[in-house]
Amino acid sequence: MKIINVVGARPNFMKIAPLMEAYNKNGQIEPLLVHTGQHYDEKMSDLFFRQLGIPEPDMNLGIGSASHAVQTAEIMKAFEPVCLEHKPDVVLVVGDVNSTIACGLVAVKLGIKLIHVEAGLRSGDRSMPEEINRILTDSISDLLFCTEQSGVDNLLAEGVEDDRIHMVGHVMIDTLLKNLEKAQKSNMLADLESRFGVNGDGYAVLTMHRPSNVDDPVVFSRILDALEVIQKDLPIIFPMHPRTRNNIAGTELGSRIEDMTNLHLLEPVGYLDFLKLTSSAKIVLTDSGGIQEETTVLQIPCITLRENTERPITAEIGSNQIVGTSTESILQAYSVVKSGQFRKPQVPPLWDGKAAERIVKALVKKI
Ligand code: UD1
Ligand code: UDP
């Protein structure tokens, strides 16, 4: 069975790595790997291939950045000839980025079976570009692999037949569990000490890249109001996403960030360094999807700077609090964590490092 696997953006790499390994072990699948090139900076792409041992992509479509319509269309135009040439039995897409829906659409229009890994997640917020990508990708997929029960429930409620849905756990957590020990060897904490004088025992980690936060100066500014207060209490380490970096360059928001003496900016960091950073943090503040889940497994309190989440299990039983973006609610959540009234999180069912194995087993049986 020939499977074309698609990656494009940073969070896709952690999801595809264990699948490539599981195909290899199984031996019945001929995998090809296509990188759309949606992310292309060394620190947003190649670094992850090296650190996670992902094979070199068989093809890089080199699409790069553009508006949603142009990026999606260019990926489709470049991916169609790849499918025509290689005639895969299956196209497998992960997550919810533009590369996911673009390649999914090409596959089904050519009559190729489509598999979606991380299916069924819903934030209920259609202003979020990823929500549209999720709904559309799920609606055209033949087999849907879910990370949490809410995904299964959402798909059933949308009329997807039960036998096309598989609850398998989370491939991104396969990667986390596999690399946790290795990550402890990272020099990240020594670097923090030498560069910023930050003690490895006490800091917060911040990531922000959602357009609803970083493309809107009003929202960004009220988040900064909260960060200004927090950094006086606890140093904040902020590996900055390129979208965010580009947005603040030369703006007042940029100057405010520079003026915060205890908020320390980094370039995006590689997976192992980031895992070391988050696993040793006192608290994580984020608007990322994946980081809400990783902090739950790491049992690190997570304050999510969003009004909603498509990953509700992390807030129901994990370490996540969805606090929105008002200055007061962020500070309130911070003080709750600081006072130690933070519940002991549980790890969601099947987040055990074996999701990729389950997916490959189901693929071999069903396709
Ligand atoms: C994309 C995904 C988002 C995901 C995020 C992960 C979509 C719609 N969005 O958002 O779901 O959470 O990736 O990080 O697919 N840029 C660079 N270098 C790069 C990549 C991007 O400088 O290697 C800059 C460019 O200015 C670009 C901007 O970042 O315009 C946004 O990149 P894009 O891939 O369009 O969206 P993300 O915000 O990265
Ligand atoms: N990550 C990383 N370095 C960073 C920030 C994030 O390796 O500087 C990892 C993080 O551990 C997780 C993934 O990137 O595995 C999350 O990607 P991102 O937040 O870009 O996207 P989202 O999950 O929001 O789609």
Side-chain angles (χ1 to χ4, degrees):
M1 182 191 345
K2 192 190 267 188
I3 302 187
I4 292 189
N5 299 272
V6 175
V7 289
R10 178 168 66 186
N12 298 161
F13 308 133
M14 286 51 116
K15 294 169 193 168
I16 219 68
L19 281 167
M20 298 306 285
E21 203 181 318
Y23 297 143
N24 209 1
K25 270 199 200 135
N26 175 276
Q28 295 174 70
I29 288 170
E30 184 192 342
L32 285 174
L33 183 60
V34 173
H35 189 334
T36 65
Q38 178 174 343
H39 284 177
Y40 43 86
D41 288 349
E42 151 73 20
K43 289 182 174 151
M44 295 297 287
S45 177
D46 290 8
L47 183 53
F48 294 89
F49 281 76
R50 288 198 302 277
Q51 291 201 339
L52 300 177
I54 306 170
E56 280 271 303
D58 296 284
M59 278 139 282
N60 190 321
L61 308 180
I63 300 304
S65 304
S67 68
H68 283 274
V70 171
Q71 187 177 60
T72 308
E74 292 298 333
I75 296 170
M76 290 182 71
K77 277 163 64 184
F79 188 59
E80 188 178 54
V82 172
C83 288
L84 289 172
E85 183 188 340
H86 292 279
K87 300 190 176 40
D89 302 294
V90 173
V91 167
L92 180 144
V93 294
V94 298
D96 54 15
V97 302
N98 284 348
S99 301
T100 310
I101 179 60
C103 295
L105 256 182
V106 168
V108 293
K109 295 232 172 176
L110 290 173
I112 301 166
K113 283 209 167 75
L114 180 64
I115 314 287
H116 188 202
V117 172
E118 201 186 70
L121 297 180
R122 298 287 181 268
S123 66
D125 175 1
R126 287 195 179 213
S127 69
M128 195 182 179
E130 295 81 3
E131 183 75 352
I132 306 298
N133 293 342
R134 292 179 202 116
I135 293 169
L136 295 180
T137 305
D138 287 339
S139 72
I140 56 174
S141 292
D142 294 281
L143 273 184
L144 303 103
F145 290 107
C146 296
T147 54
E148 61 170 277
Q149 187 58 37
S150 77
V152 176
D153 297 342
N154 292 330
L155 292 172
L156 290 173
E158 288 169 21
V160 179
E161 298 89 340
D162 185 49
D163 64 344
R164 293 201 284 127
I165 306 170
H166 295 260
M167 168 72 184
V168 288
H170 203 335
V171 282
M172 193 190 65
I173 301 303
D174 292 3
T175 294
L176 184 150
L177 296 175
K178 184 176 173 199
N179 287 285
L180 195 50
E181 210 181 301
K182 203 169 171 191
Q184 298 316 313
K185 299 195 187 94
S186 146
N187 287 327
M188 198 67 214
L189 299 193
D191 284 357
L192 293 185
E193 177 95 55
S194 66
R195 284 179 67 184
F196 310 122
V198 168
N199 184 319
D201 279 347
Y203 62 86
V205 174
L206 168 70
T207 80
M208 274 206 292
H209 70 278
R210 294 256 96 79
S212 56
N213 285 342
V214 305
D215 291 4
D216 183 337
V218 175
V219 177
F220 204 153
S221 180
R222 63 180 189 239
I223 295 174
L224 287 187
D225 290 343
L227 297 175
E228 234 151 27
V229 176
I230 295 171
Q231 54 100 38
K232 287 189 183 134
D233 190 50
L234 191 66
I236 300 178
I237 310 300
F238 185 6
M240 200 181 273
H241 190 283
R243 170 188 286 278
T244 313
R245 179 194 66 214
N246 294 343
N247 280 0
I248 63 162
T251 69
E252 195 189 323
L253 293 168
S255 314
R256 281 186 65 191
I257 290 176
E258 271 168 31
D259 288 347
M260 291 189 215
T261 50
N262 229 358
L263 185 147
H264 305 288
L265 298 186
L266 296 177
E267 297 266 298
V269 297
Y271 183 74
L272 296 173
D273 287 340
F274 192 74
L275 193 47
K276 174 73 176 180
L277 196 58
T278 47
S279 61
S280 312
K282 285 264 180 277
I283 184 166
V284 172
L285 299 114
T286 194
D287 60 14
S288 163
I291 295 170
Q292 295 173 56
E293 301 176 318
E294 290 171 340
T295 45
T296 272
V297 173
L298 296 169
Q299 308 209 323
I300 302 295
C302 179
I303 292 183
T304 293
L305 308 169
R306 289 174 44 187
E307 303 297 337
N308 46 57
T309 183
E310 62 286 342
R311 300 159 208 271
I313 192 103
T314 59
E316 286 157 14
I317 66 164
S319 63
N320 192 15
Q321 292 183 68
I322 310 299
V323 309
T325 59
S326 87
T327 311
E328 297 71 33
S329 60
I330 299 168
L331 290 176
Q332 164 67 17
Y334 176 72
S335 71
V336 168
V337 172
K338 220 195 138 202
S339 67
Q341 299 161 36
F342 157 70
R343 76 161 172 247
K344 180 153 169 50
Q346 293 165 42
V347 175
L350 302 182
W351 290 18
D352 58 359
K354 296 188 177 129
E357 257 174 55
R358 291 187 192 101
I359 290 174
V360 169
K361 212 166 157 190
L363 283 179
V364 170
K365 201 163 143 200
K366 286 253 176 178
I367 304 284

